[in-house]
Each structure stands twice: as C-alpha cells, then as structure tokens.
Amino acid sequence: MSQFTIYPAIDMKNGKCVRLEQGDFDKETIYGDSPFDVAKGFLDQGAEWIHMVDLDGAKEGKRINAEHILRVVDELSVNVQMGGGIRNKEDAAYYLDRGVDRVIIGSLAISNPELTKELVEEYGSKIAIGLDARDGYVATDGWLTKSDRTAIEVGQYFAEAGVETFIYTDISKDGMMSGPSTDQIVELAKQTGKEVIASGGVRNIEDLISLKKYSDQNVGGAIVGKAIYTKELPLRKALTEVNQ
C-alpha cells in the first residue's frame, strides 16, 4: 500500500483560523486566534504536514497572511504546503525560498499557464496545482469565477508539463461535511497518472480509510479541516489508524 498523508488544514482570514462553507466569505466560523498555536497542536498530535491557506490572499490576489505561514515554517519541525494569493512568480519564490515545502498554484494555472509551467521547471515537485472544481469545471479567484476548463483537461495539461501533485477540491463539498468526491478524485488520478490529494468533504476516519483504498492508484492523501475543528475526526487517532 502506497503512502497516504493526512494534511490538517489551517485557513487564515484576518490573521485568524477560520472555516468557510463552500468558499463563501460570508459564512465563516472562527476556530482559533493564532494559526501558529493551531499548527503546533497539529504537530503535537503527530502531523507531518500542515496545509495552510491565505484566504485573504486568494480573494485579494496578494500576500496577506504570509507572516503566520513563515512563523510555522521557521519555528516548527513540520512540512508546510500553502496556497492562496499566488498570482506571479515572485509570490511563489517568496514562499519557496523561505522554506515552504510546497506551493499550490490555483487561479494562476488558468490565467497564465505558461508562467505556471516556468515555475514547475524551476521548482519541480515543490509546485502543486490546485484544481478547485464546481460541476467539474475549474473555478478561480477564491472560487468566485468559473472557467471553461474541466479539471481533467487542466490536470492532463499540467501533468504533461511535469506537475507531480494535484489537489482536487469539489467546492460543493467544502466545509459541508458531506463526504469526499471519491469518484472524481480517483478519475483525475487515473487520467493524469499523478498524485492527487483530496480536499473537501472529509467527515471522519472512515472517509480517510475509504480514500486510502485508492492509494495504489495515485490518491496520495487528504486535506482535513472542519472535521478536526468540530472534533468529529480526532487527528491523533486518524494518523494512527490510517497509517498503521
């Protein structure tokens, strides 16, 4: 059985840890005042990776919560992947040159695929492509805009360009605790031949175990947010049970 990684998520808005429902900025729940403290809690429970998102950055198209991300990178011995607000080469370089392990390119992959390919050539596996899909089509700009490209089309294009990791989010599932979109995730992994990390909808340990069944088909892990914060999914127990 291939490696399956659990990525506990820290979504940041106004410097606090929040969760949104379906990416709606008007439907937020604050779960913590300090992203660093939340990250340290995840590390203490055994997390090897942490997924951090600058929600303000995604909406505004610039770095806003960078200090919180870099503090985790500098002070905690944990791998960090981050997304949100990466709109140019400088943004990606800013994080990667300061020790972030993986940067997720979302809107930029649709608006400027050539520049995205340059980043992949330069940074290799440290660049992941985030495919946030609504009805199968990729959405951009903090999920505010729906493009005319399907997630599979974009995935295949960037797989050919050398991308090794995709993060697939079904926007309709995000923050709704309704279960992951397993069929779409497995299909994307099959069509690209690359690692796909599931994002959105994970409710409990059972969802993780059922996703892990596809780890030999390139489903490499899952990002978990709300279920950890609401205590539906105890992180320490999940890490132990899923990776035993």
Side-chain angles (χ1 to χ4, degrees):
M1 183 75 67
S2 305
Q3 173 72 22
F4 185 89
T5 304
I6 298 170
Y7 297 82
I10 297 175
D11 290 2
M12 292 165 294
K13 186 165 177 270
N14 301 322
K16 300 185 188 312
C17 286
V18 305
R19 297 302 295 168
L20 306 181
E21 276 188 22
Q22 298 180 318
D24 188 333
F25 280 76
D26 295 325
K27 294 180 182 172
E28 70 168 73
T29 307
I30 295 173
Y31 285 110
D33 289 334
S34 166
F36 179 81
D37 290 348
V38 174
K40 187 172 186 313
F42 291 158
L43 174 63
D44 290 346
Q45 291 176 74
E48 294 178 5
W49 278 86
I50 293 177
H51 172 83
M52 302 186 78
V53 179
D54 183 349
L55 290 173
D56 300 305
K59 192 176 184 184
E60 304 293 333
K62 59 185 179 184
R63 294 192 300 270
I64 294 179
N65 288 286
E67 65 186 283
H68 303 291
I69 296 168
L70 295 179
R71 187 180 172 203
V72 171
V73 169
D74 291 340
E75 297 183 32
L76 299 179
S77 55
V78 69
N79 295 299
V80 174
Q81 71 176 14
M82 70 73 58
I86 306 294
R87 295 290 193 273
N88 54 50
K89 204 166 183 175
E90 291 72 29
D91 288 332
Y94 177 86
Y95 288 109
L96 291 168
D97 294 347
R98 284 166 176 77
V100 169
D101 296 277
R102 186 186 291 148
V103 163
I104 302 158
I105 306 288
S107 303
L108 183 66
I110 303 298
S111 66
N112 196 334
E114 290 304 318
L115 178 62
T116 304
K117 280 162 60 172
E118 283 179 33
L119 284 167
V120 174
E121 282 171 24
E122 190 164 338
Y123 291 103
S125 60
K126 290 180 179 255
I127 299 287
I129 301 293
L131 298 174
D132 305 327
R134 199 189 292 279
D135 307 320
Y137 287 84
V138 174
T140 62
D141 303 317
W143 297 353
L144 303 173
T145 313
K146 189 163 140 183
S147 76
D148 57 0
R149 301 256 185 269
T150 68
I152 299 253
E153 285 172 346
V154 178
Q156 288 175 326
Y157 175 86
F158 283 109
E160 286 177 19
V163 170
E164 294 297 331
T165 302
F166 294 93
I167 292 160
Y168 181 86
T169 307
D170 182 341
I171 295 169
S172 69
K173 301 265 187 185
D174 189 71
M176 302 305 288
M177 306 273 286
S178 57
S181 301
T182 306
D183 291 350
Q184 288 99 307
I185 292 157
V186 173
E187 184 64 16
L188 180 65
K190 180 180 167 189
Q191 295 293 340
T192 60
K194 304 294 185 180
E195 178 189 36
V196 176
I197 298 168
S199 172
V202 171
R203 299 163 293 193
N204 49 39
I205 291 174
E206 288 70 31
D207 282 342
L208 292 173
I209 289 170
S210 63
L211 277 169
K212 190 186 176 181
K213 289 176 185 165
Y214 300 97
S215 62
D216 56 352
Q217 296 176 46
N218 293 327
V219 177
I223 294 163
V224 189
K226 190 173 182 180
I228 294 173
Y229 293 105
T230 58
K231 311 272 196 287
E232 308 277 327
L233 190 152
L235 180 59
R236 189 189 302 274
K237 187 178 178 195
L239 288 161
T240 304
E241 287 196 20
V242 173
N243 289 314
Q244 61 189 2

